[in-house]
Amino acid sequence: MQAVREFILDRNPKLDKLDDDLDLIDSRAINSLAFVEFIFLLEELTGESIDPEELDLDDFRTLNAIGARFLKQKAAS
Amino acid sequence: MAVREIEPIELELDRLEHMAESGYYNPYTLFDWPDAIEPDLPWMSESLTTLAGTPMWDELTREQQIALTKYEAINFFSLNIHGIRELMSEVVMRIHERTYANVSEFLHHFIGEENEHMWFFAQFCLRYGGKLYPAQPSLQADSVEHLSPVARELVVFARILIFEEIVDHYNAYMATDESLPHIAREINRVHHQDESRHVAFGRMIFTNLLGQVAKRDPAEVPLVAEYLENYLRYSIATLYNPAAYRDAGIPDALALRRRALEHPARHAAHERILKRTRSFLTKAGVGRELVK
Ligand SMILES: [Fe+2]
Ligand SMILES: [Fe+2]
């Protein structure tokens, strides 16, 4: 999760803290141009590949959602 | 689409329209499609692959190198198809807007030609590679919400121009690369010819819309420059597709992608790819030097 936070904070120098339930997409913390890189980062962290045709944006909206969908799932399996 | 705040665009397009008419061809009969590509030939120029100039290329077996040219060619054409598909739909929506009435004739040529390009790129990928790579996901809430309507119009045409200039860097080189199979050279050559008109048009409409942005609010120009700089970087990064590395049988695709993107030889390659576009943007007054 630290790597995910760093990715977002690096691209948003104006954000000094990152709430776990901030809507990353509506707030433009992750925009279209960064989204592809963000997906690659998550694939690398989880070792799981994400099919661009199947993805559900709601899985990416908040740090909580990302944690639940991608990171804890990994820890549990 | 709030184009009402935008002044009608007047451009001198007679020469480009005439060239589009006289150079018109039937893409469906133009090419001689061989049954297969010669197995030991590269599908794209080796010097244009994303690992060129790095030890990562030298570490590959010859089979992996050829496979990489194959899958990066498919990636390059797939990017073209999806990129132009999205941008073309923006143009279609504008074709009878008052703002664009005077350039509508050329926009018809543009849309028709791009539709044909999509066809022959896909034909190449599907015939010889059996697939396209899927489009990258994009977000609806996009990164232009902070811009004025006229700047958003500028961004639409700027994206098309930047995209076309990057692609053309590759096409121009591959059009005459004798190491490639004939059909690959031909596709690149034909595309390069049409794109020279699109780029000429793109620069004219870009200059017009940038003038309108600057006239409305000069303070918005650096914001546009920032957007464009991000778009340039994004476009370069899409050339590095981990799926192509995987398909070429290269392990650790994501780590490889990261290493390649950071490699000094690749930074130099990116500067070469973007040289023409960057100097155009700088001359137009909206180059990366404005970005804080
Ligand atoms: Fe094209
Ligand atoms: Fe074009």
Side-chain angles (χ1 to χ4, degrees):
Chain A
M1 196 47 106
Q2 196 47 38
V4 173
R5 282 178 181 280
E6 272 167 28
F7 176 97
I8 297 165
L9 289 169
D10 273 359
R11 280 167 179 72
N12 295 279
K14 283 168 210 140
L15 271 182
D16 40 4
K17 71 181 178 67
L18 196 51
D19 285 341
D20 288 354
D21 52 7
L22 172 73
D23 190 317
L24 299 167
I25 294 171
D26 284 351
S27 69
R28 298 202 297 119
I30 298 177
N31 63 28
S32 279
L33 302 185
F35 192 50
V36 175
E37 294 300 320
F38 189 64
I39 287 173
F40 289 151
L41 172 73
L42 287 175
E43 287 187 334
E44 207 167 0
L45 292 172
T46 59
E48 229 186 283
S49 71
I50 300 170
D51 182 341
E53 287 172 317
E54 308 255 289
L55 60 83
D56 180 351
L57 269 193
D58 288 337
D59 290 340
F60 299 87
R61 262 185 206 286
T62 64
L63 287 177
N64 279 333
I66 291 165
R69 168 66 182 79
F70 297 101
L71 303 168
K72 284 187 196 121
Q73 191 182 50
K74 171 92 197 295
S77 63
Chain B
M1 208 182 322
V3 288
R4 243 159 278 108
E5 300 167 41
I6 302 154
E7 291 164 30
I9 293 173
E10 306 259 6
L11 301 173
E12 188 44 70
L13 295 174
D14 288 355
R15 191 182 65 92
L16 292 179
E17 285 163 4
H18 179 75
M19 284 166 69
E21 279 164 29
S22 62
Y24 192 67
Y25 58 90
N26 182 344
Y28 307 103
T29 57
L30 180 71
F31 299 99
D32 273 325
W33 300 96
D35 290 334
I37 299 259
E38 299 90 322
D40 44 352
L41 294 188
W43 291 30
M44 82 188 283
S45 306
E46 295 176 37
S47 63
L48 296 179
T49 62
T50 58
L51 302 182
T54 74
M56 293 164 257
W57 171 263
D58 301 325
E59 285 159 13
L60 301 180
T61 65
R62 187 59 189 154
E63 288 69 35
Q64 285 174 321
Q65 289 178 344
I66 292 291
L68 185 65
T69 67
K70 167 177 172 176
Y71 290 108
E72 290 207 333
I74 296 175
N75 184 51
F76 174 66
F77 290 142
S78 300
L79 287 172
N80 254 287
I81 289 166
H82 300 308
I84 218 61
R85 190 166 56 74
E86 285 161 22
L87 295 169
M88 205 170 91
S89 67
E90 300 275 0
V91 175
V92 171
M93 299 311 287
R94 286 166 173 76
I95 201 154
H96 286 297
E97 290 281 349
R98 202 165 53 89
T99 303
Y100 297 101
N102 290 303
V103 297
S104 179
E105 169 96 7
F106 190 82
L107 294 181
H108 281 84
H109 287 296
F110 170 85
I111 292 166
E113 288 163 7
E114 291 304 352
N115 178 54
E116 293 166 357
H117 300 163
M118 285 200 299
W119 179 80
F120 62 66
F121 287 143
Q123 191 67 11
F124 181 89
C125 293
L126 296 172
R127 251 176 207 263
Y128 306 121
K131 68 165 170 186
L132 301 176
Y133 287 116
Q136 298 294 351
S138 65
L139 303 177
Q140 283 310 313
D142 211 350
S143 22
V144 294
E145 276 173 357
H146 59 304
L147 298 176
S148 67
V150 66
R152 290 186 205 180
E153 290 299 299
L154 172 62
V155 161
V156 167
F157 287 95
R159 285 171 65 132
I160 296 175
L161 175 65
I162 288 172
F163 185 79
E164 290 184 322
E165 291 202 1
I166 291 175
V167 168
D168 200 49
H169 174 86
Y170 286 76
N171 288 153
Y173 187 87
M174 289 197 274
T176 60
D177 183 348
E178 294 290 332
S179 73
L180 299 180
H182 182 254
I183 184 68
R185 215 162 42 232
E186 276 299 287
I187 284 180
N188 282 289
R189 183 184 64 76
V190 169
H191 194 238
H192 172 55
Q193 244 167 37
D194 286 348
E195 290 304 319
S196 63
R197 292 189 302 278
H198 295 187
V199 167
F201 168 77
R203 289 183 166 208
M204 288 162 87
I205 197 163
F206 179 94
T207 305
N208 179 300
L209 286 165
L210 178 63
Q212 295 198 40
V213 170
K215 192 171 138 197
R216 196 193 70 93
D217 179 10
E220 196 173 25
V221 174
L223 297 180
V224 172
E226 186 185 14
Y227 178 90
L228 297 180
E229 177 59 21
N230 287 333
Y231 186 68
L232 288 174
R233 290 188 198 172
Y234 164 81
S235 302
I236 289 290
T238 59
L239 296 163
Y240 294 72
N241 187 344
Y245 300 144
R246 275 183 217 114
D247 288 340
I250 309 171
D252 289 331
L254 288 162
L256 178 74
R257 176 177 187 273
R258 218 165 1 89
R259 272 195 294 146
L261 273 167
E262 285 163 7
H263 196 281
R266 299 310 305 161
H267 285 187
H270 303 163
E271 289 303 313
R272 283 196 299 278
I273 296 165
L274 300 177
K275 188 165 183 257
R276 191 168 68 135
T277 307
R278 284 201 188 286
S279 69
F280 170 74
L281 294 176
T282 294
K283 272 199 207 126
V286 67
R288 64 176 148 175
E289 52 291 334
L290 297 188
V291 182
K292 278 167 218 102

